[in-house]
Amino acid sequence: MSQNVFQFVDVQRVDPPKKPLKIRKIQFVEIYEPFNQSQVGMQADRCLDCGNPYCEWKCPVHNYIPNWLKLANEGRILEAVELSHQTNSLPEVCGRVCPQDRLCEGACTLNDRFGAVTIGNIEKYITDKAFEMGWRPDLSNVIKTDKRVAVIGAGPAGLACADVLARGGVSAVVFDKYPEIGGLLTFGIPSFKLEKEVMQRRREIFEAMGIEFRLETEVGKDVSFADLLGEFDAVFLGVGTYKYMKGGFTNEEAPGVYDALPYLISNANRLLGFEKAQADYIDFAGKQVVVLGGGDTAMDCVRTAIRQGADKVICAYRRDAENMPGSKREVQNAREEGVEFMFNLQPVGVELDAHGRTCGIKVVSTELSAPDANGRRNPVVIAGSEQVLAADAVVMAFGFQPNPQPWMSEFGIELDSRERIRAPEQSDFAFQTTNPKVFAGGDAVRGSDLVVTAIYEGRKAAEGIMEYLAV
Ligand code: FAD
Ligand code: SF4
């Protein structure tokens, strides 16, 4: 096969088909069917190879997109997967969960009239297919050094850092308090976007590359940070952001009101067999659920509730549909699965029954102001517009803030005014903190963001660490 410059005129953009709704609504499985080689060939061939690939610039890890599209089109999957791993440590994950409409595909030249190339799905296909064919990273030419680095956090930032270190001959030991690697990839993002087996397969691959994982080990509790600083040549912090933002309304601590992440984690623990006690599982079967918020975490919660068998699931958001921060694709998926959306509603308090349990959420209607200095339209409450939505479970999905570890200040690791770890990319050694031996990246440095930006920072920090260690 060769590239046809006018393929995009003859061949429409096609996304992979979704599984039937009756399966989607009850099972925690990825909703998209995989592409086959013939579909990949057709879709990859739509790439114009436009000379100035905006998609590459917009992709946070700067993947060589047109080059691996060409290889995928020609069925040269093993060459494509080698190339994609030059810039990305978890391409099969990014292909599944990146908000492509805002990143690579949003920047595709074809986007205006013809529909962007389906970059994410092809990236996923290349990696999954290569693994199926038995491809594994080849480290046989790597010259081992005697340097050892402790990586705290097995989320995408920590994993990407360990990946680049291993490829550079540096031993990486990854510590995580959870019993499986992945961080939010495993315990936050639900299986209908990213099946758990994807990260389990990656763990085996990383282990075969020589990366050591010490799971169920919390730094600061099971092992001290001082010991790690003494034992290792450098330390990378990829500890994420885990402080839940609250609504500030009455009765938000009442039984029946949940923070989004503990709810999603309890569901992941059940699916993975990590549940310690039946009571740890938050079950919305048969319940009327109201999820407050309009981002991707809110979408993950409403769609999880549907699969648990909730009677009714409402997403209540304080702005309108156009101003929702979540991905349009995920909102559409939620609608298809039966979620009801209510816009311009702001919560003011949880209603309690005679036993003190949640029985509703009082909301007021809002209208949007003129755009502020940042172009954002803010919700303004309409007087006298109160109403109560019946609910026996309310989920707060308002986002996350950094939760600096208590031991950081003791070791001279400074934070910025928003409690993010100070670790600039542009410095002598990329992503070095104010303690020269300690590097950091991902959500803990940039605030709650994306998988692909965490991967970028983990990779760059590994380069910074290797320069610092002079290897
Ligand atoms: P994390 O993934 O949070 O990993 C941090 C790890 O550090 C955790 O495993 C934690 O256990 C460990 N850790 C922390 N402290 C310690 C300690 N003291 N000792 C040992 N281990 C420790 N992004 C997307 O791009 N697409 C999506 O679809 C998407 N969906 C999301 C859905 C939800 C519900 C959430 C919450 C986030 C979502 N995100 C999504 C954002 C994305 O998951 C994060 O930006 C990304 O995971 C950040 O990576 P990280 O490695 O910095 O941190
Ligand atoms: Fe697109 Fe994300 Fe893949 Fe980059 S990593 S090409 S942004 S899907």
Side-chain angles (χ1 to χ4, degrees), residues 97-99 152-158 175-178 180 182-185 187-190 193 217-220 238-242 261 264 296-297 300 400 405 407 441-444 447-454:
V97 305
C98 272
I152 307 179
F175 296 81
D176 202 295
K177 60 185 175 191
Y178 286 145
E180 180 54 278
L184 290 173
L185 301 179
F187 294 95
I189 300 179
K193 281 161 62 180
T217 308
E218 182 170 346
V219 175
V239 290
T241 51
Y242 286 89
L261 197 54
L264 295 172
D296 287 334
T297 302
D300 290 345
F400 307 94
Q405 315 269 323
W407 37 261
D443 281 2
S448 180
D449 198 34
L450 293 174
V451 173
V452 65
T453 48

Short mmCIF file of all heavy atoms in Angstrom, two decimals, residues 97-99 152-158 175-178 180 182-185 187-190 193 217-220 238-242 261 264 296-297 300 400 405 407 441-444 447-454, ligand 1:
data_model
loop_
_atom_site.label_atom_id
_atom_site.label_comp_id
_atom_site.label_asym_id
_atom_site.label_seq_id
_atom_site.Cartn_x
_atom_site.Cartn_y
_atom_site.Cartn_z
N VAL A 97 -7.30 7.37 26.02
CA VAL A 97 -7.88 8.36 26.95
C VAL A 97 -7.51 9.82 26.68
O VAL A 97 -8.06 10.71 27.33
CB VAL A 97 -7.56 8.03 28.43
CG1 VAL A 97 -8.00 6.64 28.80
CG2 VAL A 97 -6.08 8.24 28.74
N CYS A 98 -6.61 10.10 25.75
CA CYS A 98 -6.33 11.52 25.47
C CYS A 98 -7.58 12.20 24.93
O CYS A 98 -8.31 11.59 24.15
CB CYS A 98 -5.26 11.64 24.39
SG CYS A 98 -3.58 11.65 25.00
N PRO A 99 -7.82 13.45 25.31
CA PRO A 99 -8.91 14.21 24.67
C PRO A 99 -8.43 14.67 23.29
O PRO A 99 -8.04 15.81 23.10
CB PRO A 99 -9.13 15.37 25.63
CG PRO A 99 -7.83 15.53 26.34
CD PRO A 99 -7.12 14.22 26.35
N ILE A 152 8.73 7.76 43.21
CA ILE A 152 7.59 7.66 44.14
C ILE A 152 6.32 7.96 43.35
O ILE A 152 6.13 9.07 42.86
CB ILE A 152 7.75 8.62 45.34
CG1 ILE A 152 9.11 8.40 46.01
CG2 ILE A 152 6.62 8.40 46.34
CD1 ILE A 152 9.39 9.31 47.18
N GLY A 153 5.48 6.96 43.22
CA GLY A 153 4.23 7.10 42.46
C GLY A 153 4.31 6.32 41.15
O GLY A 153 5.20 6.57 40.34
N ALA A 154 3.39 5.36 40.99
CA ALA A 154 3.37 4.54 39.76
C ALA A 154 2.26 4.99 38.83
O ALA A 154 1.67 4.19 38.10
CB ALA A 154 3.21 3.06 40.13
N GLY A 155 1.95 6.31 38.85
CA GLY A 155 1.02 6.88 37.87
C GLY A 155 1.78 7.11 36.57
O GLY A 155 2.97 6.76 36.46
N PRO A 156 1.13 7.73 35.58
CA PRO A 156 1.81 7.93 34.30
C PRO A 156 3.12 8.71 34.39
O PRO A 156 4.06 8.40 33.66
CB PRO A 156 0.76 8.67 33.45
CG PRO A 156 -0.34 9.05 34.37
CD PRO A 156 -0.27 8.16 35.56
N ALA A 157 3.21 9.69 35.30
CA ALA A 157 4.45 10.46 35.42
C ALA A 157 5.58 9.55 35.91
O ALA A 157 6.67 9.52 35.31
CB ALA A 157 4.26 11.64 36.38
N GLY A 158 5.34 8.80 36.98
CA GLY A 158 6.36 7.92 37.54
C GLY A 158 6.75 6.82 36.56
O GLY A 158 7.93 6.49 36.40
N PHE A 175 7.94 3.06 43.87
CA PHE A 175 7.16 2.82 45.10
C PHE A 175 5.75 3.36 44.90
O PHE A 175 5.57 4.47 44.39
CB PHE A 175 7.79 3.59 46.27
CG PHE A 175 9.17 3.10 46.62
CD1 PHE A 175 10.28 3.54 45.90
CD2 PHE A 175 9.37 2.20 47.66
CE1 PHE A 175 11.56 3.09 46.21
CE2 PHE A 175 10.64 1.74 47.99
CZ PHE A 175 11.74 2.18 47.26
N ASP A 176 4.75 2.58 45.29
CA ASP A 176 3.38 3.10 45.27
C ASP A 176 2.58 2.49 46.40
O ASP A 176 2.73 1.32 46.72
CB ASP A 176 2.68 2.84 43.93
CG ASP A 176 1.53 3.80 43.70
OD1 ASP A 176 0.53 3.75 44.47
OD2 ASP A 176 1.63 4.64 42.79
N LYS A 177 1.69 3.32 46.96
CA LYS A 177 0.90 2.82 48.10
C LYS A 177 -0.22 1.90 47.63
O LYS A 177 -0.77 1.15 48.43
CB LYS A 177 0.36 4.00 48.91
CG LYS A 177 -0.52 4.94 48.17
CD LYS A 177 -0.89 6.12 49.06
CE LYS A 177 -1.69 7.13 48.26
NZ LYS A 177 -1.88 8.39 48.92
N TYR A 178 -0.57 1.97 46.35
CA TYR A 178 -1.65 1.11 45.85
C TYR A 178 -1.10 -0.28 45.50
O TYR A 178 0.09 -0.44 45.25
CB TYR A 178 -2.27 1.73 44.59
CG TYR A 178 -3.17 2.92 44.85
CD1 TYR A 178 -3.22 3.97 43.94
CD2 TYR A 178 -4.00 2.98 45.96
CE1 TYR A 178 -4.05 5.07 44.15
CE2 TYR A 178 -4.83 4.07 46.18
CZ TYR A 178 -4.85 5.11 45.27
OH TYR A 178 -5.67 6.18 45.48
N GLU A 180 -1.56 -1.94 42.72
CA GLU A 180 -1.31 -2.14 41.29
C GLU A 180 -0.74 -0.84 40.74
O GLU A 180 -0.95 0.23 41.31
CB GLU A 180 -2.63 -2.52 40.58
CG GLU A 180 -2.56 -2.76 39.07
CD GLU A 180 -1.51 -3.81 38.65
OE1 GLU A 180 -0.32 -3.44 38.55
OE2 GLU A 180 -1.89 -4.97 38.44
N GLY A 182 -0.22 2.26 37.88
CA GLY A 182 -1.14 3.03 37.03
C GLY A 182 -1.63 4.32 37.66
O GLY A 182 -2.03 5.24 36.96
N GLY A 183 -1.65 4.41 39.01
CA GLY A 183 -2.21 5.61 39.64
C GLY A 183 -3.65 5.78 39.19
O GLY A 183 -4.44 4.82 39.21
N LEU A 184 -4.00 6.97 38.70
CA LEU A 184 -5.38 7.22 38.28
C LEU A 184 -5.76 6.41 37.04
O LEU A 184 -6.94 6.23 36.76
CB LEU A 184 -5.59 8.71 38.03
CG LEU A 184 -5.59 9.59 39.29
CD1 LEU A 184 -5.63 11.07 38.92
CD2 LEU A 184 -6.75 9.24 40.20
N LEU A 185 -4.77 5.92 36.30
CA LEU A 185 -5.10 5.08 35.13
C LEU A 185 -5.80 3.80 35.59
O LEU A 185 -6.65 3.27 34.89
CB LEU A 185 -3.83 4.69 34.36
CG LEU A 185 -2.97 5.82 33.82
CD1 LEU A 185 -1.74 5.28 33.12
CD2 LEU A 185 -3.79 6.67 32.87
N PHE A 187 -6.96 3.34 39.12
CA PHE A 187 -7.92 3.51 40.21
C PHE A 187 -8.88 4.69 39.99
O PHE A 187 -9.84 4.84 40.74
CB PHE A 187 -7.18 3.66 41.54
CG PHE A 187 -6.45 2.40 41.91
CD1 PHE A 187 -5.11 2.24 41.59
CD2 PHE A 187 -7.13 1.34 42.49
CE1 PHE A 187 -4.44 1.06 41.89
CE2 PHE A 187 -6.47 0.15 42.79
CZ PHE A 187 -5.13 0.01 42.49
N GLY A 188 -8.66 5.52 38.97
CA GLY A 188 -9.55 6.65 38.71
C GLY A 188 -10.34 6.45 37.42
O GLY A 188 -11.56 6.37 37.43
N ILE A 189 -9.64 6.32 36.32
CA ILE A 189 -10.29 6.23 35.01
C ILE A 189 -11.01 4.87 34.90
O ILE A 189 -10.37 3.83 35.03
CB ILE A 189 -9.26 6.40 33.87
CG1 ILE A 189 -8.59 7.78 33.99
CG2 ILE A 189 -9.92 6.23 32.51
CD1 ILE A 189 -7.52 8.07 32.95
N PRO A 190 -12.31 4.88 34.66
CA PRO A 190 -13.05 3.59 34.68
C PRO A 190 -12.74 2.70 33.49
O PRO A 190 -12.27 3.16 32.44
CB PRO A 190 -14.52 4.04 34.67
CG PRO A 190 -14.52 5.48 35.00
CD PRO A 190 -13.21 6.03 34.53
N LYS A 193 -13.42 3.22 29.71
CA LYS A 193 -12.49 4.02 28.91
C LYS A 193 -11.15 3.31 28.77
O LYS A 193 -10.46 3.44 27.75
CB LYS A 193 -12.28 5.39 29.57
CG LYS A 193 -13.43 6.37 29.30
CD LYS A 193 -13.49 7.53 30.28
CE LYS A 193 -12.30 8.44 30.30
NZ LYS A 193 -12.47 9.53 31.31
N THR A 217 3.35 0.19 49.29
CA THR A 217 4.42 0.78 50.11
C THR A 217 4.28 2.29 50.06
O THR A 217 4.54 2.90 49.02
CB THR A 217 5.81 0.38 49.55
OG1 THR A 217 5.85 -1.04 49.41
CG2 THR A 217 6.93 0.84 50.46
N GLU A 218 3.82 2.86 51.16
CA GLU A 218 3.62 4.31 51.19
C GLU A 218 4.87 4.99 51.73
O GLU A 218 5.32 4.68 52.85
CB GLU A 218 2.39 4.65 52.06
CG GLU A 218 2.12 6.14 52.09
CD GLU A 218 0.79 6.50 52.73
OE1 GLU A 218 -0.06 5.61 52.91
OE2 GLU A 218 0.62 7.69 53.04
N VAL A 219 5.40 5.92 50.93
CA VAL A 219 6.58 6.65 51.39
C VAL A 219 6.12 7.66 52.45
O VAL A 219 5.14 8.38 52.26
CB VAL A 219 7.29 7.35 50.21
CG1 VAL A 219 8.45 8.21 50.70
CG2 VAL A 219 7.75 6.31 49.20
N GLY A 220 6.83 7.68 53.56
CA GLY A 220 6.41 8.54 54.68
C GLY A 220 5.73 7.71 55.75
O GLY A 220 5.52 8.18 56.87
N GLY A 238 6.28 11.60 41.68
CA GLY A 238 5.12 11.65 40.77
C GLY A 238 3.89 11.29 41.57
O GLY A 238 3.23 10.29 41.30
N VAL A 239 3.61 12.11 42.59
CA VAL A 239 2.63 11.71 43.62
C VAL A 239 1.20 12.20 43.36
O VAL A 239 0.30 11.91 44.15
CB VAL A 239 3.10 12.17 45.03
CG1 VAL A 239 4.31 11.37 45.48
CG2 VAL A 239 3.42 13.66 45.04
N GLY A 240 0.97 12.92 42.27
CA GLY A 240 -0.40 13.30 41.90
C GLY A 240 -1.01 14.37 42.79
O GLY A 240 -0.33 14.99 43.62
N THR A 241 -2.34 14.58 42.59
CA THR A 241 -3.10 15.58 43.37
C THR A 241 -4.33 14.89 43.95
O THR A 241 -5.16 14.40 43.19
CB THR A 241 -3.62 16.74 42.48
OG1 THR A 241 -4.29 16.17 41.37
CG2 THR A 241 -2.53 17.64 42.00
N TYR A 242 -4.43 14.87 45.25
CA TYR A 242 -5.50 14.06 45.85
C TYR A 242 -6.34 14.80 46.89
O TYR A 242 -6.99 14.17 47.71
CB TYR A 242 -4.92 12.77 46.43
CG TYR A 242 -4.56 11.79 45.33
CD1 TYR A 242 -3.30 11.81 44.73
CD2 TYR A 242 -5.48 10.87 44.87
CE1 TYR A 242 -2.98 10.93 43.71
CE2 TYR A 242 -5.18 9.99 43.84
CZ TYR A 242 -3.93 10.02 43.27
OH TYR A 242 -3.62 9.16 42.25
N LEU A 261 -13.72 10.72 43.66
CA LEU A 261 -12.63 9.74 43.52
C LEU A 261 -12.79 8.53 44.43
O LEU A 261 -12.63 7.39 43.95
CB LEU A 261 -11.26 10.41 43.69
CG LEU A 261 -10.10 9.59 43.16
CD1 LEU A 261 -10.29 9.18 41.71
CD2 LEU A 261 -8.79 10.34 43.30
N LEU A 264 -15.13 6.24 42.66
CA LEU A 264 -14.54 5.52 41.52
C LEU A 264 -13.52 4.48 41.99
O LEU A 264 -13.44 3.37 41.44
CB LEU A 264 -13.88 6.52 40.55
CG LEU A 264 -14.85 7.49 39.86
CD1 LEU A 264 -14.08 8.55 39.08
CD2 LEU A 264 -15.81 6.75 38.93
N ASP A 296 -14.74 15.75 33.13
CA ASP A 296 -14.60 14.33 32.76
C ASP A 296 -14.80 13.41 33.97
O ASP A 296 -15.31 12.30 33.83
CB ASP A 296 -13.24 14.08 32.11
CG ASP A 296 -13.21 14.66 30.70
OD1 ASP A 296 -14.29 14.77 30.08
OD2 ASP A 296 -12.12 15.01 30.22
N THR A 297 -14.40 13.89 35.16
CA THR A 297 -14.61 13.05 36.35
C THR A 297 -16.11 12.86 36.60
O THR A 297 -16.55 11.77 36.95
CB THR A 297 -13.93 13.69 37.58
OG1 THR A 297 -12.55 13.85 37.28
CG2 THR A 297 -14.06 12.83 38.81
N ASP A 300 -17.32 10.25 34.30
CA ASP A 300 -16.93 8.91 34.74
C ASP A 300 -17.85 8.42 35.85
O ASP A 300 -18.19 7.24 35.92
CB ASP A 300 -15.47 8.92 35.24
CG ASP A 300 -14.49 9.13 34.08
OD1 ASP A 300 -14.90 8.97 32.92
OD2 ASP A 300 -13.32 9.45 34.36
N PHE A 400 -9.71 18.57 41.73
CA PHE A 400 -8.70 18.17 42.72
C PHE A 400 -7.66 19.27 42.89
O PHE A 400 -7.40 20.04 41.97
CB PHE A 400 -7.97 16.90 42.24
CG PHE A 400 -8.94 15.80 41.91
CD1 PHE A 400 -9.39 15.62 40.61
CD2 PHE A 400 -9.42 14.97 42.90
CE1 PHE A 400 -10.30 14.63 40.30
CE2 PHE A 400 -10.33 13.97 42.60
CZ PHE A 400 -10.76 13.80 41.30
N GLN A 405 2.91 16.30 50.54
CA GLN A 405 3.20 15.31 51.58
C GLN A 405 3.88 16.05 52.75
O GLN A 405 4.70 16.95 52.54
CB GLN A 405 4.15 14.26 51.02
CG GLN A 405 3.78 13.76 49.64
CD GLN A 405 2.89 12.54 49.64
OE1 GLN A 405 3.04 11.67 50.48
NE2 GLN A 405 1.96 12.48 48.71
N TRP A 407 6.24 15.41 54.61
CA TRP A 407 7.70 15.35 54.74
C TRP A 407 8.45 16.23 53.74
O TRP A 407 9.65 16.40 53.83
CB TRP A 407 8.20 13.91 54.62
CG TRP A 407 7.46 13.05 53.63
CD1 TRP A 407 6.47 12.16 53.93
CD2 TRP A 407 7.63 12.99 52.21
NE1 TRP A 407 6.01 11.55 52.77
CE2 TRP A 407 6.71 12.04 51.71
CE3 TRP A 407 8.46 13.65 51.30
CZ2 TRP A 407 6.60 11.73 50.35
CZ3 TRP A 407 8.34 13.35 49.95
CH2 TRP A 407 7.42 12.40 49.49
N GLY A 441 7.28 15.65 38.73
CA GLY A 441 6.52 15.91 37.50
C GLY A 441 5.10 15.39 37.61
O GLY A 441 4.73 14.74 38.59
N GLY A 442 4.29 15.71 36.60
CA GLY A 442 2.89 15.27 36.58
C GLY A 442 2.00 16.20 37.38
O GLY A 442 2.34 17.36 37.63
N ASP A 443 0.84 15.68 37.80
CA ASP A 443 -0.16 16.52 38.48
C ASP A 443 0.39 17.23 39.71
O ASP A 443 -0.05 18.33 40.04
CB ASP A 443 -1.35 15.65 38.92
CG ASP A 443 -2.32 15.35 37.78
OD1 ASP A 443 -2.05 15.78 36.64
OD2 ASP A 443 -3.34 14.67 38.02
N ALA A 444 1.35 16.63 40.40
CA ALA A 444 1.89 17.24 41.62
C ALA A 444 2.63 18.53 41.31
O ALA A 444 2.78 19.40 42.16
CB ALA A 444 2.83 16.27 42.34
N GLY A 447 -0.54 20.66 38.66
CA GLY A 447 -1.94 20.64 39.07
C GLY A 447 -2.67 19.60 38.24
O GLY A 447 -2.15 19.14 37.22
N SER A 448 -3.88 19.27 38.66
CA SER A 448 -4.65 18.23 38.00
C SER A 448 -4.76 18.49 36.50
O SER A 448 -5.23 19.53 36.09
CB SER A 448 -6.03 18.26 38.67
OG SER A 448 -6.83 17.31 38.12
N ASP A 449 -4.27 17.54 35.68
CA ASP A 449 -4.25 17.81 34.24
C ASP A 449 -4.55 16.54 33.46
O ASP A 449 -5.62 15.96 33.61
CB ASP A 449 -2.90 18.44 33.86
CG ASP A 449 -2.94 19.13 32.51
OD1 ASP A 449 -3.98 19.69 32.17
OD2 ASP A 449 -1.93 19.08 31.79
N LEU A 450 -3.59 16.08 32.64
CA LEU A 450 -3.86 14.98 31.71
C LEU A 450 -2.82 13.89 31.83
O LEU A 450 -1.68 14.13 32.26
CB LEU A 450 -3.84 15.50 30.27
CG LEU A 450 -4.95 16.45 29.85
CD1 LEU A 450 -4.69 16.97 28.45
CD2 LEU A 450 -6.31 15.79 29.92
N VAL A 451 -3.18 12.71 31.35
CA VAL A 451 -2.25 11.58 31.33
C VAL A 451 -1.02 11.93 30.47
O VAL A 451 0.12 11.73 30.87
CB VAL A 451 -2.97 10.33 30.76
CG1 VAL A 451 -1.98 9.19 30.56
CG2 VAL A 451 -4.12 9.92 31.68
N VAL A 452 -1.28 12.47 29.29
CA VAL A 452 -0.18 12.69 28.35
C VAL A 452 0.79 13.78 28.82
O VAL A 452 2.00 13.69 28.57
CB VAL A 452 -0.73 12.96 26.92
CG1 VAL A 452 -1.50 14.27 26.86
CG2 VAL A 452 0.37 12.95 25.88
N THR A 453 0.29 14.77 29.58
CA THR A 453 1.21 15.80 30.09
C THR A 453 2.04 15.22 31.25
O THR A 453 3.22 15.56 31.41
CB THR A 453 0.45 17.07 30.53
OG1 THR A 453 -0.65 16.68 31.36
CG2 THR A 453 -0.05 17.87 29.37
N ALA A 454 1.43 14.31 32.02
CA ALA A 454 2.19 13.64 33.09
C ALA A 454 3.30 12.78 32.47
O ALA A 454 4.43 12.75 32.97
CB ALA A 454 1.25 12.78 33.95
P1 FAD B 1 -1.42 9.90 39.50
O1 FAD B 1 -1.97 9.18 38.32
O2 FAD B 1 -2.37 10.47 40.47
O3 FAD B 1 -0.43 8.90 40.25
C1 FAD B 1 0.16 9.24 41.48
C2 FAD B 1 0.55 7.97 42.20
O4 FAD B 1 1.35 8.32 43.33
C3 FAD B 1 -0.64 7.19 42.75
O5 FAD B 1 -0.58 5.85 42.28
C4 FAD B 1 -0.48 7.26 44.26
O6 FAD B 1 -0.90 6.08 44.93
C5 FAD B 1 1.03 7.44 44.39
N1 FAD B 1 1.44 8.07 45.64
C6 FAD B 1 1.09 9.30 46.11
N2 FAD B 1 1.71 9.54 47.30
C7 FAD B 1 2.46 8.43 47.57
C8 FAD B 1 3.32 8.06 48.66
N3 FAD B 1 3.56 8.89 49.69
N4 FAD B 1 3.90 6.84 48.62
C9 FAD B 1 3.68 5.97 47.59
N5 FAD B 1 2.88 6.27 46.55
C10 FAD B 1 2.28 7.49 46.54
N6 FAD B 1 -6.63 12.39 31.93
C11 FAD B 1 -6.70 12.11 30.60
O7 FAD B 1 -5.76 12.45 29.87
N7 FAD B 1 -7.78 11.47 30.08
C12 FAD B 1 -8.82 11.05 30.85
O8 FAD B 1 -9.78 10.46 30.33
C13 FAD B 1 -8.77 11.29 32.23
N8 FAD B 1 -9.75 10.87 33.05
C14 FAD B 1 -9.65 11.08 34.38
C15 FAD B 1 -10.66 10.59 35.20
C16 FAD B 1 -10.59 10.77 36.57
C17 FAD B 1 -11.68 10.24 37.44
C18 FAD B 1 -9.50 11.49 37.13
C19 FAD B 1 -9.43 11.73 38.60
C20 FAD B 1 -8.49 11.98 36.32
C21 FAD B 1 -8.56 11.77 34.94
N9 FAD B 1 -7.55 12.23 34.09
C22 FAD B 1 -7.63 11.98 32.75
C23 FAD B 1 -6.36 12.93 34.62
C24 FAD B 1 -5.16 11.97 34.74
O9 FAD B 1 -5.59 10.72 35.24
C25 FAD B 1 -4.07 12.56 35.61
O10 FAD B 1 -3.73 13.85 35.11
C26 FAD B 1 -2.81 11.69 35.62
O11 FAD B 1 -3.10 10.39 36.07
C27 FAD B 1 -1.72 12.32 36.51
O12 FAD B 1 -0.63 11.44 36.57
P2 FAD B 1 0.39 11.46 37.80
O13 FAD B 1 1.35 10.35 37.52
O14 FAD B 1 0.91 12.82 38.00
O15 FAD B 1 -0.47 11.12 39.09
#
